[in-house]
Amino acid sequence: MTVDGHKETLEFQAEVSQVLNLVIRSLYSNKEIFLRELISNASDAAEKLRFEALTDDALYEEDPSLNIRVSFDKEKKTVTIEDNGIGMSRQEVTETIGTIASSGTKKFLEALGNKGDDSAASQSQLIGQFGVGFYSAFIVADKVTLQTRRAGLGKEHGVRWESTGEGAYTIETTEKAGRGTSITLHLREDEGEFLEGYRLRSIISKFSDHISIPIEMLKEHYATEEDDKEEEKAPEWEQVNKGTALWMRNKSDITDEEYNEFYKHIAHDFEDPLDQVHNRVEGTNEYTALMYIPSRAPFDLWERDQKHGVKLYVRRVFIMDEAEKLMPHYLRFVKGVVDSDALPLNVSREILQHDKKIDSIRTASTKRILGLLEKIAKNDGEKYQKFWKEFGRVMKEGPAEDYANKEKIAGLLRFATTKSEGKEETVSLDQYIERMQEKQDKIYYITADSYAAARHSPHLEVFNTKDVEVLLLTDRVDEWLVSHLHEYKGKSLQSVAKGQLDLGDIEDKEALEKVAEEHKGLLDRVKAVLGDDVKEVRVSSRLTESPACLVADEHDMGANLQRMLKQLGQEAPTTKPIFELNLKHPLVEKMDQEPDEDRFADLSRVLLDQATLAEGGQLEDPAAFVHRLNKLMLSLSA
Ligand code: ADP
């Protein structure tokens, strides 16, 4: 180990170099965003300091005015972004700048690799999902020098980090008088455009007007040439951004572009959001909320520790990123700001846990997001479809998590069905209900682990014949969904592979009972062969083409869920399936006439195994199945 203070040269994590190369290549056409990213980080650092100083005033080091300063040096060809925020210790620099801290980095890079499409456009979309932050500096710089000191540590605890972005960086401890971070970009040869005050100033007001921390530039840096000739003066800094928190402004005064830029700032996203809701709530629990729905799912949507969600502010002071307190888990993709006038500034995580005001903000915000989604679904189907593609799977967690809004969420769900085209999920439950058969009173669904298995399942035969629509559920989360969503608008949801089919008057019940009576002998004979492998053998009303199928008893766990749990290594109750025979099928008719007990047993077993295979299950003894089948085939040709 090198002793703290020494200059060390360290290798980047392998992934960092890879990400850097991608960033430079794919974001080049949009290179000015480096300034937005670095200013966003600086503003986060200033807000963190303000929050920590609430309980430890000494962190201000007698200088409580926070600012971000942007300057450049034409001769040295550098641009510097400097903040007097929280700063970083040496360890923090190594941990956050030398590595890409997210556990999903590897996965992200794999996703890039797998795409097989390395056009800059497609890569920049993916990079956008990932968020590059600090590393965007290397789009325009071939060397970056970062100097920082954590607020509250003595001036000898400064840290200097430098890298050309090619595999390694150096880090050393130095003196730094002021707290906070300064980042100097040594611009690449062709990036002279950023050595112009006007250019920088216009980028700042485009991207960062809404940031409440003042962003300052030297007055002389955007003076005209005549002013330039004046004699030397002490440097005069001037604020260049508007500096009012965007969410506090009047809705009608905010342009779409401003909303979009603010979104990119808080979400560290490169794409415009899909939509937003912005509103102020008056009364005893006053607050303002500005919440966005992103256009694209971040690649870490399924990771446990998500960074950027809904931020909590109290009277314009940033308190914390507390997505889970302000949004239910199934809406974790929502980004934004809640700024409360009613909470105390020294609110802690523990207080938040049990705070009634937070609860009511969460309840109202949830309703507002669901309302926004309903509005989009109603007014702009295409846009809603875009949303569903990105976030549908997360929304399906909703009915289990949010009992109070179950019906609302259910109305927002979309499914593939036997009447929709392809696997795309486009059908709502309302649409389903609208086109139900006259005497149909249930919403039917099938779960399977692939679209093909669901679409071609023998369980659908009678539904196809009778033109009854069935939802095709093939996401893992669908099993979870249907175990919590039992009905919608008074219509119960029913698995087509469970219980006795009751298609109401659509099917002829009496006829079925009569047939069962007539064939009792056959059913008993099959049951005798299969023994405890099946719970019951009965006549099927589901099949028109296949000879047999398996179904679960009404209250037993379905076969798909059992298989899924087993795959996940979890305990699943092993319930026996019910074996249903299609008495109109020639094979079954033949079986009924079979005098040879051995052959009858083989036929029964083969039908059972086939039924298992047809619904996507696995055979316990595949070799035995093949053996029996071959035996039967041989006897055919005899
Ligand atoms: P992100 O902002 O998405 O976390 P970045 O790569 O931009 O990713 O930054 C990584 C981390 O480095 C930040 O989370 C923060 O902890 C630290 N950091 C970056 N810039 C600054 C700064 N100006 N002051 C203090 N810390 C910073």
Side-chain angles (χ1 to χ4, degrees), residues 384-404:
Y384 190 75
Q385 218 39 55
K386 199 173 166 221
F387 161 78
W388 185 258
K389 252 194 156 132
E390 295 293 319
F391 301 108
R393 279 202 293 159
V394 193
M395 290 297 291
K396 286 175 178 177
E397 296 170 10
E401 187 190 348
D402 188 353
Y403 190 80

Side-chain angles (χ1 to χ4, degrees), residues 37-46 48 81-89 92-93 95-101 130-136 146-149 180-183 267-268 307-308:
E37 295 298 308
L38 297 179
I39 288 178
S40 276
N41 281 348
S43 123
D44 288 350
K48 264 185 223 158
I81 295 101
E82 184 170 12
D83 68 69
N84 59 358
I86 191 77
M88 283 176 273
S89 67
E92 284 170 323
V93 174
E95 281 173 7
T96 57
I97 304 291
T99 60
I100 290 185
F130 180 63
V132 283
F134 174 77
Y135 292 102
S136 61
L146 173 146
Q147 305 204 66
T148 186
R149 174 167 71 73
T181 305
S182 100
I183 294 170
H268 293 257
K307 278 197 298 185
H308 312 291

Side-chain angles (χ1 to χ4, degrees), residues 188-458:
R188 292 175 195 279
E189 203 50 54
D190 312 328
E191 307 301 345
E193 63 181 286
F194 297 111
L195 299 172
E196 298 294 338
Y198 282 110
R199 176 83 169 108
L200 292 174
R201 194 189 160 114
S202 82
I203 304 175
I204 293 171
S205 53
K206 176 171 166 204
F207 287 144
S208 310
D209 250 355
H210 53 266
I211 291 181
S212 57
I213 308 289
I215 302 168
E216 301 175 346
M217 284 183 67
L218 278 174
K219 220 170 179 181
E220 65 197 51
H221 271 169
Y222 46 89
T224 61
E225 277 191 22
E226 266 138 67
D227 296 337
D228 251 3
K229 289 179 192 134
E230 281 177 28
E231 71 280 16
E232 296 254 325
K233 280 188 287 192
E236 239 185 293
W237 292 93
E238 209 176 59
Q239 181 167 341
V240 295
N241 63 329
K242 281 202 190 110
T244 42
L246 179 101
W247 63 89
M248 294 311 291
R249 286 168 49 198
N250 239 331
K251 250 161 111 162
S252 52
D253 298 339
I254 305 175
T255 64
D256 285 347
E257 204 184 2
E258 286 176 312
Y259 271 126
N260 291 350
E261 283 310 329
F262 183 64
Y263 165 77
K264 291 177 187 169
H265 162 66
I266 52 162
H268 293 257
D269 194 349
F270 291 79
E271 265 180 90
D272 287 342
L274 194 73
D275 217 328
Q276 76 259 348
V277 265
H278 183 192
N279 65 291
R280 171 150 193 84
V281 175
E282 313 278 348
T284 48
N285 187 14
E286 282 195 4
Y287 66 92
T288 300
L290 169 55
M291 294 173 296
Y292 293 92
I293 296 172
S295 301
R296 191 175 286 277
F299 83 104
D300 61 351
L301 190 60
W302 304 96
E303 304 277 321
R304 275 272 135 210
D305 49 341
Q306 280 219 304
K307 278 197 298 185
H308 312 291
V310 175
K311 292 169 190 263
L312 177 68
Y313 284 70
V314 172
R315 290 183 286 285
R316 261 60 72 213
V317 178
F318 169 73
I319 305 291
M320 57 187 95
D321 284 303
E322 273 299 308
E324 352 137 34
K325 300 293 161 348
L326 296 168
M327 272 291 137
H329 197 60
Y330 71 97
L331 296 179
R332 60 187 174 275
F333 52 84
V334 173
K335 314 278 180 195
V337 167
V338 165
D339 189 346
S340 162
D341 285 325
L343 288 168
L345 262 175
N346 60 357
V347 62
S348 67
R349 268 162 217 279
E350 291 67 44
I351 293 178
L352 281 186
Q353 214 87 337
H354 311 287
D355 193 278
K356 284 230 161 57
K357 294 195 179 92
I358 288 285
D359 285 348
S360 92
I361 293 176
R362 176 183 157 119
T363 306
S365 303
T366 303
K367 284 235 158 65
R368 225 159 261 133
I369 290 291
L370 296 177
L372 173 64
L373 291 173
E374 280 170 347
K375 200 178 87 190
I376 300 174
K378 187 160 164 255
N379 300 334
D380 190 344
E382 210 174 297
K383 186 162 159 185
Y384 190 75
Q385 218 39 55
K386 199 173 166 221
F387 161 78
W388 185 258
K389 252 194 156 132
E390 295 293 319
F391 301 108
R393 279 202 293 159
V394 193
M395 290 297 291
K396 286 175 178 177
E397 296 170 10
E401 187 190 348
D402 188 353
Y403 190 80
N405 290 306
K406 208 183 232 186
E407 189 93 348
K408 237 182 197 327
I409 302 165
L412 288 165
L413 301 175
R414 295 292 180 269
F415 301 96
T417 78
T418 47
K419 291 193 179 176
S420 67
E421 248 171 69
K423 339 179 171 183
E424 215 181 314
E425 299 176 323
T426 54
V427 180
S428 69
L429 292 178
D430 288 308
Q431 270 169 311
Y432 180 100
I433 290 175
E434 226 164 77
R435 46 192 199 216
M436 270 167 55
Q437 296 290 349
E438 207 178 316
K439 292 188 175 152
Q440 183 186 346
D441 63 349
K442 290 195 174 101
I443 298 172
Y444 291 100
Y445 67 84
I446 180 167
T447 59
D449 71 353
S450 73
Y451 175 78
R455 190 73 191 84
H456 305 125
S457 166

Side-chain angles (χ1 to χ4, degrees), residues 108-119:
F108 164 72
L109 285 166
E110 276 163 20
L112 272 184
N114 288 343
K115 260 205 116 194
D117 168 9
D118 57 359
S119 69

